[in-house]
Amino acid sequence: MPTGVALRDARQQLLDAAERVLLRDGPGALTSRTVTAEAGCAKGVLHRHFKDFDDLLVELVRDHAGRTRARGEALKAAVGTGTVQDNVAEALEELFTSVAVAVVPLMTFRDELRARLRQTWPTSLPVLQEAADSIAAYLAAERGLGRIAPGADTDTLARMLIGTGHLLYADRRVAPPAAETVRATISAALPVRG
C-alpha cells in the first residue's frame, strides 16, 4: 500500500521550497526539516535527490547565479537605449528584490556551502559576482558608445554599484528603497556623459 503521494519533479519542488523558506524566514531558519515541511514531503525525499542538505543549497545558489547571468544578457541588450542610470537601476532592482539578498547571508552563514561553492567559483559570492560581471560588461559597452567617460574603470564601478545596491536593499524587513534613492546613488557614482 502506498505511503505517500508521488511528487512531480521533487528536486525542483525542494529547491522552490528552500527559496520560499529563505525569503520568508531567512538563512537561520533554513534546515532540511523546514525545507521538506515546506515542500510537503519526507526528509528521505531530499536525500534521494541530493547528496545532503548542503548539496541542495549549492544547487539553489547555482540556479540563482544562472538567473543572474540571464538578467545580464537582458542588460547587455539595453546598451545604447534609455539612460545608463535607469538601465543599471533596473538591473540592481531585479537583482536585489530577488532571492539574491537572502543568498548572500546564507553563504556567509554556512561554511560547508562556501567551501563547496569555491570548487566552482574560487572567489567572491557567485550571485553577486555574476551581477558585477554583467554590469561591468554593460558599462564597458556604454563606455564604447561614449555614454560613459572614456577612462572609467568599469570593473571597479560595477563592484561599487553591487556593494552599494546590497546596502540599499539588505534589510528585508523594510520596504525596498525608493526608485529615486537608487537612481540618485547611481548618478553620483557613474561618470555618465551627456
Side-chain angles (χ1 to χ4, degrees), residues 149-169:
D153 179 348
T154 57
D155 290 332
T156 299
L157 285 169
R159 288 190 301 272
M160 184 176 67
L161 288 166
I162 292 295
T164 302
H166 191 249
L167 288 172
L168 290 171
Y169 286 95

Side-chain angles (χ1 to χ4, degrees), residues 43-56:
K43 282 181 69 174
V45 174
L46 186 146
H47 294 289
R48 204 168 318 134
H49 295 279
F50 297 94
K51 184 170 52 173
D52 57 24
F53 188 61
D54 282 315
D55 187 39
L56 178 143

Side-chain angles (χ1 to χ4, degrees), residues 127-150:
V127 174
L128 297 184
Q129 186 62 53
E130 288 291 340
D133 291 348
S134 296
I135 291 174
Y138 166 76
L139 293 175
E142 291 288 15
R143 183 182 60 202
L145 292 178
R147 290 175 21 124
I148 291 184

